[in-house]
């Protein structure tokens, strides 16, 4: 994404290139251009741009992609954490 | 107010059996944007039940998802309405939808078209091809600006509550004027983290949101010092202000991670593990310094 970069070396994205059939779905659905297609195989060319939305893993027809998907939202995680420790009543995790 | 559109199949213009089917959420704003960008065309619009939530957030929750899409295709009788077997989805719906699952369960193939509704005309006219720019996210000054009012409203009660508490405590321990000063310092620091941090996001150095917020908070500390403390504050107070106020701003800018389209869960986790303890210690140290300044010679 032009003009914005988040923390480096944290994204959990993994691609099993041996399993990849080169369909290009990951390339199509990624909103951050993390994948490139070369020679009938996808490859991860910009892992640090990954925001872990999970679209690629969910849409990969051969399950060659793993990512610990979730929303990168501090207030959501704080209320999750408080709920787990029963310090707050369960309810909306983040934005409504 | 009601921001929901009844889910189901809608006709834009006068579509026939071979016209394309586009899919969107039943958040009124998404629906209106898509409808406006498709004005003057003949297309079908399949609206999914996302309970008034936009495509991206609904995809994250899974309501804009495989199950709802398959159900809605069946419930709307789409197979009788169109002769082809293809549905066109927004790219930001992909975190909730498995294209291969949808094909297997409904017989419809999924095409992910564009991120923005305004690119749909070009997509449809260009033989359903997605140009590189159509799958690229942006986060412009204006796009950040429009998020801030909602964030303000959501945080208003918390900011007012803590501000009043600070006013009372400082007025009792110190004096009423110091209480007002504390209220201003707190409110300014919170608003700096909530408004200034997000607006200046790409220009504040560093990648961590908490760090960016602390930088914005330092600006506020400096401004507040020039406004209120220049000739009156002791060294204790100056140190406390320059420590505690950036910590407060850092916390509020860290919370903005949830509003951005580029922060990962793992990144935010890592940042919280590092930043929250530092913010806590800075705040406590600030309070201790204030007390020391009050009671030590």
């Amino acid at each position: 994404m032009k003009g914005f970069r988040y923390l480096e070396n944290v994204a959990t994205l993994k691609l099993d290139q041996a399993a990849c059939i080169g369909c290009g779905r990951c390339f199509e659905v990624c909103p951050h251009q993390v994948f490139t297609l070369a020679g009938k195989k996808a490859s991860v060319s910009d892992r640090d741009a990954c925001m872990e939305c999970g679209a690629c893993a969910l849409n990969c027809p051969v399950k060659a992609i793993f990512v610990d998907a979730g929303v990168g939202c501090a207030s959501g995680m704080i209320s999750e954490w408080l709920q787990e420790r029963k310090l707050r009543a369960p309810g909306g995790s983040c934005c409504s | 107010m009601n921001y929901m559109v009844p889910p189901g199949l809608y006709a834009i213009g006068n579509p026939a059996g071979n016209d394309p089917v586009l899919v969107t959420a039943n958040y009124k704003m998404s629906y209106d944007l898509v409808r406006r960008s498709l004005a003057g065309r003949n297309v079908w619009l399949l609206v999914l039940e996302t309970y008034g939530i936009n495509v991206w957030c609904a995809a994250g929750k899974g309501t804009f998802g495989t199950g709802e899409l398959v159900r809605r295709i069946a419930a709307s009788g789409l197979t009788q309405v169109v002769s082809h077997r293809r549905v066109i989805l927004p790219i930001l719906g992909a975190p909730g939808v498995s294209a291969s699952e949808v094909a297997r369960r409904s017989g419809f193939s999924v095409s992910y078209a564009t991120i923005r509704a305004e690119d749909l005309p070009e997509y449809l006219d260009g033989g359903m091809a997605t140009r590189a720019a159509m799958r690229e996210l942006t986060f412009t000054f204006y796009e950040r600006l429009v998020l801030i009012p909602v964030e303000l409203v959501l945080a208003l009660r918390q900011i007012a509550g803590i501000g009043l508490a600070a006013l009372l405590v400082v007025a009792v321990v110190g004096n009423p004027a110091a209480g007002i000063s504390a209220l201003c310092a707190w409110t300014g620091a919170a608003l700096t983290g909530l408004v200034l941090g997000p607006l200046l996001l790409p220009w504040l150095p560093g990648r961590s949101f908490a760090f960016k917020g602390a930088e914005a908070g330092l600006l506020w500390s400096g401004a507040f010092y020039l406004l209120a403390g220049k000739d009156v504050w002791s060294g204790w107070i100056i140190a406390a202000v320059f420590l505690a106020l950036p910590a407060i701003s850092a916390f509020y800018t860290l919370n903005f991670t949830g509003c951005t389209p580029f922060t990962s869960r793992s990144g935010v986790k890592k940042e919280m593990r590092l930043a929250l303890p530092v913010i806590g210690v800075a705040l406590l140290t600030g309070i201790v310094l204030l007390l020391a300044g009050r009671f030590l010679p």
Side-chain angles (χ1 to χ4, degrees):
Chain A
M1 189 170 162
K2 288 192 186 94
F4 296 93
R5 298 293 286 183
Y6 196 44
L7 307 186
E8 284 183 326
N9 300 320
V10 286
T12 52
L13 177 68
K14 281 188 199 80
L15 166 68
D16 176 4
Q17 234 174 3
C20 174
I21 53 168
C23 71
R25 272 291 185 194
C26 53
F27 172 80
E28 269 176 51
V29 299
C30 178
H32 286 289
Q33 291 73 51
V34 166
F35 299 94
T36 44
L37 281 173
K40 293 264 167 203
K41 291 275 182 191
S43 66
V44 176
S45 53
D46 190 5
R47 180 178 279 106
D48 286 339
C50 175
M51 61 173 290
E52 301 180 326
C53 71
C56 54
L58 187 61
N59 278 278
C60 177
V62 291
K63 304 204 176 347
I65 301 174
F66 167 83
V67 61
D68 184 11
V71 182
C73 170
S75 46
M77 280 185 220
I78 292 173
S79 54
E80 237 172 62
W81 187 87
L82 290 174
Q83 282 168 25
E84 272 166 23
R85 278 156 192 76
K86 313 251 185 267
L87 297 169
R88 185 187 282 185
S93 57
C94 189
C95 345
S96 60
Chain B
M1 271 202 274
N2 189 1
Y3 293 107
M4 297 193 206
V5 176
L9 187 63
Y10 290 76
I12 294 176
N14 201 0
N18 55 355
D19 283 313
V21 179
L22 287 95
V23 181
T24 191
N26 81 331
Y27 175 43
K28 191 165 184 311
M29 208 165 134
S30 316
Y31 172 81
D32 284 342
L33 272 174
V34 173
R35 212 174 42 161
R36 201 174 315 142
S37 74
L38 296 172
R41 290 165 189 274
N42 299 319
V43 295
W44 299 101
L45 187 57
L46 185 65
V47 177
L48 303 190
E49 174 67 277
T50 62
Y51 307 94
I53 305 290
N54 69 65
V55 169
W56 199 1
C57 292
K61 286 176 201 293
T63 47
F64 190 100
T66 308
E68 166 62 11
L69 179 55
V70 170
R71 255 196 318 277
R72 203 54 62 185
I73 286 173
S76 63
L78 194 60
T79 45
Q80 278 101 60
V81 177
V82 294
S83 50
H84 61 82
R85 291 291 175 267
R86 167 151 132 160
V87 285
I88 298 170
L89 268 65
I91 290 176
L92 293 186
V97 177
S98 162
S100 51
E101 258 306 89
V102 171
R104 197 176 58 75
R105 284 166 59 183
S106 72
F108 277 79
S109 76
V110 171
S111 300
Y112 293 107
T114 65
I115 285 181
R116 283 166 292 269
E118 65 194 52
D119 287 333
L120 282 173
E122 195 188 332
Y123 172 82
L124 292 172
D125 293 340
M128 316 232 172
T130 307
R131 261 192 316 116
M134 295 181 191
R135 55 172 125 250
E136 231 175 79
L137 275 169
T138 57
F139 200 37
T140 61
F141 187 83
Y142 180 73
E143 284 168 324
R144 299 195 298 281
L145 184 68
V146 297
L147 294 173
I148 288 169
V150 181
E151 291 300 291
L152 278 177
V153 171
L154 288 175
L156 203 64
R157 263 180 46 196
Q158 186 187 53
I159 293 176
I162 297 178
L164 285 177
L167 169 76
L168 288 175
V169 170
V170 176
V172 170
V173 176
N175 57 65
I180 305 252
S181 197
L183 174 66
C184 293
W186 156 262
T187 311
L191 293 182
T192 297
L194 213 71
V195 179
L196 200 64
L199 285 183
L200 299 182
L201 203 62
W203 302 294
L204 291 166
R207 295 204 173 171
S208 145
F209 276 54
F211 190 73
K212 286 171 186 278
E215 290 170 322
L218 269 180
L219 291 177
W220 164 242
S221 311
F224 190 59
Y225 170 73
L226 293 177
L227 283 170
K230 208 164 163 234
D231 306 311
V232 256
W233 289 354
S234 68
W236 296 105
I237 299 181
I238 294 174
V241 161
F242 277 85
L243 207 55
L245 299 190
I248 293 163
S249 305
F251 180 76
Y252 279 100
T253 302
L254 177 60
N255 271 336
F256 192 68
T257 46
C259 299
T260 72
F262 69 99
T263 54
S264 62
R265 186 177 173 81
S266 304
V268 174
K269 257 189 203 163
K270 180 182 178 185
E271 181 169 9
M272 282 172 57
R273 266 200 303 271
L274 287 167
L276 287 181
V278 176
I279 288 172
V281 168
L283 257 182
L284 275 178
T285 312
I287 292 169
V288 169
L289 286 171
L290 279 182
L291 289 173
R294 172 79 180 83
F295 296 111
L296 293 179

